[in-house]
Amino acid sequence: MLSSTFDDVTRRLTQTLESSDAGEWIDLDLRIRAGLRWGGDIPPVHTWFAAAVDRGLGAPELAVALCGPDGRAREDALLHVSRSPELLPLLVLRCADWAKPVRVQALAILRAELPGIAPDVLDPVMAVALRTGDRLRGGEARELVTERLWEDPATTAVLRDSGDRTVRRLAHRVTVERGLLSPAALAAIATADHDVVVQDLCADAALAAIATADHDVVVQDLCADAALAAVGDTADDAVLAPLLRSSLGRVRAAGVTALHRSGRSGEAESFLFDPSALVRACARWALRKAGTDPLPLYRAACAAGDTVPCDAPLGLAECGDRAADGETLWTLTGHGRPRVRASAVAGLRVLDAVRFERLAPLLADDSARVVRETAKALTPWADHFPTDSLKRPSDGWGAARQRDAGHGIPAEHGARIEDGRRPDSAGPALDGTGSRGLDSFVPMAREPGPHTRAWARRIGRALRFVRGSA
C-alpha cells in the first residue's frame, strides 16, 4: 500500500499532537472513520493491518485502525497501542466505544497503562477522558484518570499547569481537597491565576485552611457568593497579604473577612473606601463585629475636603441616612475630582435622593464617568423633565451665552431646536418605546454656540449610554 494513502491522516495526527485541545482528538476519530466509510482513499483495515504489524506498525496506521468502522479491527489495534503512547487519547475514546468487546478491552488496557504514564503523556489522555466523560459510556475512563490524580501528588502538581482548562481545574480541586499546598501558596494562586474558577477555589481554600471548627459566619447585606467560611484566631500574613492586595474584588473580600477572625478588624477600615461594593460591605461587617460603627468613619471621610477618598460618598450612601447624609452627597457632586463627583451621584441614587432639577446640569460635566452616573441616576425621571430643566445655571456667561443644548444633538436623537422650539412643538417626542426620553427635554435657548454644542454632545452620549444599558 502506498504511503501517500496516509498523508492526510499523518498531517492531521501531527496537528492533533501539537494541540492541547481535546476536541482535536475527537475530531480526528470522526474524520478517520468518515474517510474509511465514504472517502475511498484508504483501503479497509483488514486488508493491510496484518502486513503492517509484521513490518512495523506506524502511528498513522495504528490511528486508522483504532478509529475505523470495523469493530474487530479496532479490537485488534488496541493490542498495539502501548507501543505508541502518543495515541493513548484514542485509547480513551475506545473506552466509550459502542462495541462492548472493544470497550472492555480498552478499559483493561487503560487501567494497566495508567500507573506508568508520564505526566506530559497523561495530560491529553486526561483531557479527552474529561471531555468525553458525559458520554453514554464515558464515565469509567474519567473515573480511572481521576483516581490517578488522587494517587500521585507529583502528577497533580504538573497538571496544575495543563493547557487544558478542565484538567487544570481538576488538578487544583484535587490539590485543595488533598491539602497538597499551604494556605500561602493557595492565596498566591488565587491572586495570580487567570481562571476565575481556580481563583475562587483557591481563595476559599486559603481561608478554609486557617479556619476553626466554627463555620457559622453570616455576612450581612452580602449576596450568597460572599458568604465565607470563618477563619481561625491566627492568620498568617503570608495568606492574608496576597488576598488583600489582589486586583479581584471577590478575593479582597475574602481577605477582609479573614481580618476579623485574626483579631485585626481595625485594618478593615481602609477597605471601607474600596472600589468594590462587596469589599466595602465586608469591611463594614468586620468593623461592626469589632464594635466599631462604620457610619461616622464615612461621614468624617466625606468631610475631608480635597482628600475625600474616591469611593467614600457611595460607601456613605450604602449605610447612611437620606435625611442626614443626602445634603453631604449633594455637596460632593461639586467636588474637584471627577471620581468623587461620580461616587456622590451614585450615592444619591442608592439613597433615593436624586432630584432631577439639581442633578441634570451634571450631564454637562467634563468627566465621562460623571455623565454616565448622572444619566443612570436620571433615567427613572426621563418622562418628568420640564422643557427647561436642563438649562445650565448662570455662572457668569450672561444671558447671551445660554445655548441650545439641542443644537448639535445627533439626528437620531430627535429634530434640532429652532428658536427654542421643536419643529413639531405639539409635545415632546417619544423615544420609540412609547415613553418620552431624555433627548425630548432640552434647554430653552436663543443663541447657539460652542459651549452648549459641547454640552449637547455630552447629553447625546449620555442618552446612547442609557439606551445601550437598558
Side-chain angles (χ1 to χ4, degrees), residues 88-113:
L88 287 175
L90 294 179
L91 170 65
V92 173
L93 292 177
R94 299 286 68 82
C95 290
D97 201 280
W98 67 270
K100 185 175 180 179
V102 176
R103 185 168 68 252
V104 171
Q105 182 164 296
L107 285 168
I109 295 174
L110 179 62
R111 191 176 290 107
E113 293 289 332

Side-chain angles (χ1 to χ4, degrees), residues 28-349:
L28 176 68
D29 179 43
L30 295 175
R31 286 179 178 273
I32 290 176
R33 185 174 299 109
L36 283 167
R37 277 178 173 167
W38 300 296
D41 295 332
I42 302 176
V45 175
H46 70 271
T47 64
W48 52 263
F49 186 72
V53 171
D54 291 340
R55 71 170 182 269
L57 197 60
E61 294 170 319
L62 180 57
V64 169
L66 285 169
C67 301
D70 187 340
R72 292 185 180 88
R74 295 198 303 273
E75 188 176 358
D76 291 340
L78 287 172
L79 299 174
H80 305 277
V81 73
S82 59
R83 302 175 188 174
S84 299
E86 69 274 20
L87 297 183
L88 287 175
L90 294 179
L91 170 65
V92 173
L93 292 177
R94 299 286 68 82
C95 290
D97 201 280
W98 67 270
K100 185 175 180 179
V102 176
R103 185 168 68 252
V104 171
Q105 182 164 296
L107 285 168
I109 295 174
L110 179 62
R111 191 176 290 107
E113 293 289 332
L114 270 177
I117 298 179
D120 59 329
V121 177
L122 182 62
D123 192 351
V125 170
M126 181 165 291
V128 174
L130 295 177
R131 180 72 66 90
T132 59
D134 291 332
R135 288 185 175 183
L136 179 60
R137 307 172 185 90
E140 291 188 63
R142 178 174 57 186
E143 291 176 5
L144 287 174
V145 297
T146 304
E147 287 175 5
R148 167 69 190 274
L149 278 188
W150 277 92
E151 295 168 357
D152 189 352
T155 298
T156 303
V158 173
L159 293 184
R160 286 200 296 269
D161 295 322
S162 170
D164 184 87
R165 181 178 61 181
T166 308
V167 174
R168 290 184 68 254
R169 289 177 176 177
L170 178 60
H172 280 89
R173 189 171 300 280
V174 171
T175 296
V176 167
E177 293 182 7
R178 289 205 58 190
L180 300 179
L181 290 180
S182 67
L186 291 172
I189 293 175
T191 59
D193 200 276
H194 62 275
D195 188 337
V196 65
V197 173
V198 174
Q199 291 165 5
D200 289 341
L201 177 66
C202 292
D204 292 346
L207 293 176
I210 56 175
T212 62
D214 179 14
H215 294 282
D216 187 17
V217 175
V218 179
V219 181
Q220 293 182 349
D221 301 327
L222 294 181
C223 59
D225 292 341
L228 299 171
V231 298
D233 294 335
T234 57
D236 191 346
D237 272 336
V239 176
L240 287 182
L243 294 176
L244 295 173
R245 290 196 305 265
S246 173
S247 61
L248 302 167
R250 59 185 168 275
V251 178
R252 292 197 305 278
V256 171
T257 304
L259 286 173
H260 170 66
R261 291 294 183 183
S262 59
R264 299 163 55 181
S265 295
E267 297 178 37
E269 181 175 343
S270 61
F271 292 92
L272 289 173
F273 318 115
D274 192 274
S276 167
L278 179 61
V279 176
R280 293 194 300 270
C282 285
R284 291 194 293 271
W285 172 83
L287 290 172
R288 289 184 182 121
K289 283 289 187 179
T292 301
D293 185 359
L295 183 55
L297 299 176
Y298 276 121
R299 287 172 174 167
C302 289
D306 293 339
T307 62
V308 175
C310 292
D311 292 285
L314 182 52
L316 174 62
E318 288 167 344
C319 66
D321 176 79
R322 179 168 57 184
D325 303 306
E327 196 56 40
T328 299
L329 296 180
W330 279 113
T331 300
L332 291 175
T333 59
H335 197 274
R337 281 182 292 148
R339 286 190 60 183
V340 175
R341 297 199 300 276
S343 180
V345 173
L348 289 170
R349 178 170 54 82

Side-chain angles (χ1 to χ4, degrees), residues 413-415 422 424 426-432 434-441 467:
H413 293 297
R422 286 189 181 275
D424 55 344
L430 298 180
D431 64 2
S435 61
R436 288 171 288 188
L438 285 173
D439 56 328
S440 302
F441 306 104
R467 286 170 173 164

